[in-house]
């Protein structure tokens, strides 16, 4: 038995190469794994997911051609790779831009900066919170469609300039007036910064999420789209059903209650990020739907 083990070790084990694994190598592997995981989560609900599936099919086809030694196909594939890479960058430029925007939202330097006292300040007052909740459900009770974007850390200047500039204190009466049917400002979104309404009739980016219910209209797609490109919280009131929904962090929760909306707004009332709490609360909420 001992001779067999020695023979096996001499023939198979002794000739194998075992690289030195350092702590930095392990950290590097973990970083790469985390990046790949985040990229996979990001592309899952975008057009890039179809690109990935197409690349997998193409890779399988090229692998089969390599096994069967189809030299012409391999030559064409080798020569086409640079052109395909350039075409992918051009076609998926909006998705790549969105990914970079998401990366910029992390605010890592601000989070680790102990001297940044501004993070302890309120984003908006309790009066603004109550006005947002009251206006949303008052409009819902009479089926008045509305789209209200509550800005957080990410500045929404590029969307603000697409609308009509305002500078007024948030109140339920003003919001009801803005979104009243057939008024000049009712179409589009309102952007709230702190305790002020800064713009109305704003255009928001529509979501490319393929899993959105077909029942949802442009307002809900715009709310979800805004939540995908920024850290803003967006309130949607359906013109058809009067149902109030909220979008944040790429998630849409439909048919919420005044208590739920009040809780969500109170959680983002401070400068610290509350996206994680939103996802936890969403999972516990009884009527979430995308």
């Amino acid at each position: 038995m001992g001779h067999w083990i020695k023979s096996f070790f001499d023939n198979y084990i002794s000739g194998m190469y075992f690289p030195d694994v350092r702590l930095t190598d392990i950290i590097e592997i973990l970083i790469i794994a985390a990046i790949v995981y985040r990229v996979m989560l990001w592309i899952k609900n975008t057009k890039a997911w179809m690109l990935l599936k197409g690349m997998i099919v193409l890779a399988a086809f090229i692998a089969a051609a390599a096994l069967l030694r189809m030299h012409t196909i391999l030559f064409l594939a080798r020569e086409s790779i640079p052109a395909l890479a350039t075409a992918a960058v051009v076609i998926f430029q909006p998705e790549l831009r969105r990914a970079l925007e998401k990366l910029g939202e992390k605010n890592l330097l601000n989070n680790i900066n102990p001297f940044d006292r501004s993070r302890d300040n309120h984003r908006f007052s309790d009066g603004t919170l109550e006005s947002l909740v009251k206006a949303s459900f008052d409009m819902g009770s009479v089926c008045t469609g509305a789209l209200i974007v509550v800005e957080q850390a990410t500045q929404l200047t590029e969307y603000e300039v697409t609308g009509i500039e305002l500078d007024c204190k948030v109140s339920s009466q003003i919001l009801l007036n803005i979104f009243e049917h057939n008024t000049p400002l009712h179409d589009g979104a309102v952007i709230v910064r702190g305790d002020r309404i800064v713009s109305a009739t704003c255009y928001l980016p529509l979501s490319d999420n393929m899993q959105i219910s077909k029942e949802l209209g442009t307002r809900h797609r715009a709310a979800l789209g805004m939540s995908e490109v920024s850290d803003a919280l967006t309130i949607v009131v359906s013109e058809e059903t009067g149902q109030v929904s909220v979008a944040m962090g790429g998630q849409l929760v439909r048919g919420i209650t005044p208590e739920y909306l009040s809780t969500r707004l109170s959680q983002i009332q401070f400068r610290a990020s509350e996206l994680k709490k939103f996802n936890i609360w969403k999972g516990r909420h009884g009527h979430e739907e995308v």
Side-chain angles (χ1 to χ4, degrees):
M1 183 68 176
H3 175 72
W4 181 85
I5 293 175
K6 183 177 183 302
S7 176
F8 176 81
F9 183 84
D10 291 339
N11 293 333
Y12 298 100
I13 304 299
S14 61
M16 294 182 65
Y17 169 68
F18 294 96
D20 293 330
V21 179
R22 299 168 298 173
L23 178 61
T24 53
D25 296 327
I26 296 174
I27 294 174
E28 189 176 19
I29 291 170
L30 291 176
I31 292 173
I32 292 173
I35 292 173
V36 170
Y37 174 71
R38 296 303 304 178
V39 169
M40 293 296 291
L41 285 181
W42 166 69
I43 68 174
K44 184 177 180 182
N45 295 320
T46 67
K47 295 176 183 177
W49 180 245
M50 291 181 283
L51 172 66
L52 180 63
K53 291 194 290 186
M55 290 174 62
I56 292 172
V57 172
L58 186 60
F61 179 72
I62 293 174
L67 288 174
L68 298 175
R69 298 183 180 179
M70 298 177 176
H71 300 293
T72 303
I73 292 177
L74 292 175
F75 170 79
L76 292 174
R78 187 168 56 251
E79 296 299 319
S80 301
I81 286 176
L84 291 174
T86 304
V89 170
V90 173
I91 294 170
F92 292 95
Q93 181 268 338
E95 282 75 16
L96 293 172
R97 178 187 174 187
R98 201 169 290 176
L100 292 174
E101 288 173 346
K102 283 291 182 185
L103 183 62
E105 287 172 18
K106 300 304 178 182
N107 292 324
L108 296 178
L109 293 178
N110 290 338
N111 290 335
I112 63 176
N113 182 6
F115 303 103
D116 186 10
R117 300 301 182 190
S118 64
R119 291 179 295 158
D120 296 330
N121 298 332
H122 288 76
R123 294 186 187 280
F124 47 84
S125 66
D126 291 338
T128 294
L129 187 154
E130 293 167 4
S131 294
L132 290 171
V133 174
K134 185 178 187 306
S136 298
F137 286 90
D138 283 352
M139 288 186 286
S141 65
V142 293
C143 292
T144 298
L147 195 55
I148 305 170
V149 182
V150 182
E151 185 182 81
Q152 293 198 72
T154 305
Q155 290 285 317
L156 304 178
T157 307
E158 65 175 298
Y159 306 106
E160 179 186 338
V161 297
T162 64
I164 297 174
E165 183 181 357
L166 298 177
D167 182 19
C168 58
K169 186 176 176 60
V170 175
S171 71
S172 57
Q173 294 88 347
I174 288 178
L175 289 170
L176 288 169
N177 246 352
I178 288 175
F179 289 108
E180 183 64 35
H181 292 289
N182 301 321
T183 57
L185 301 180
H186 85 282
D187 194 19
V190 157
I191 295 178
V192 174
R193 178 177 299 137
D195 291 319
R196 315 289 293 180
I197 298 173
V198 295
S199 191
T201 69
C202 299
Y203 294 102
L204 305 184
L206 300 182
S207 174
D208 292 327
N209 192 329
M210 303 300 177
Q211 299 178 358
I212 297 177
S213 171
K214 300 300 182 184
E215 302 173 3
L216 300 182
T218 305
R219 277 196 184 92
H220 292 81
R221 287 185 174 273
L224 194 56
M226 176 58 76
S227 75
E228 291 170 348
V229 301
S230 74
D231 61 351
L233 182 147
T234 305
I235 304 166
V236 195
V237 182
S238 172
E239 192 171 355
E240 289 73 26
T241 64
Q243 196 176 66
V244 180
S245 306
V246 63
M248 183 179 172
Q251 302 290 340
L252 178 68
V253 185
R254 299 170 61 189
I256 63 173
T257 62
E259 293 75 20
Y260 178 87
L261 180 57
S262 181
T263 301
R264 290 301 312 121
L265 288 169
S266 66
Q267 287 177 335
I268 67 165
Q269 198 171 6
F270 295 92
R271 296 289 180 186
S273 173
E274 295 291 345
L275 182 56
K276 185 177 180 181
K277 288 184 181 179
F278 174 80
N279 290 329
I280 293 173
W281 182 273
K282 175 183 178 298
R284 293 174 181 172
H285 199 257
H287 36 261
E288 76 268 9
E289 187 177 347
V290 174

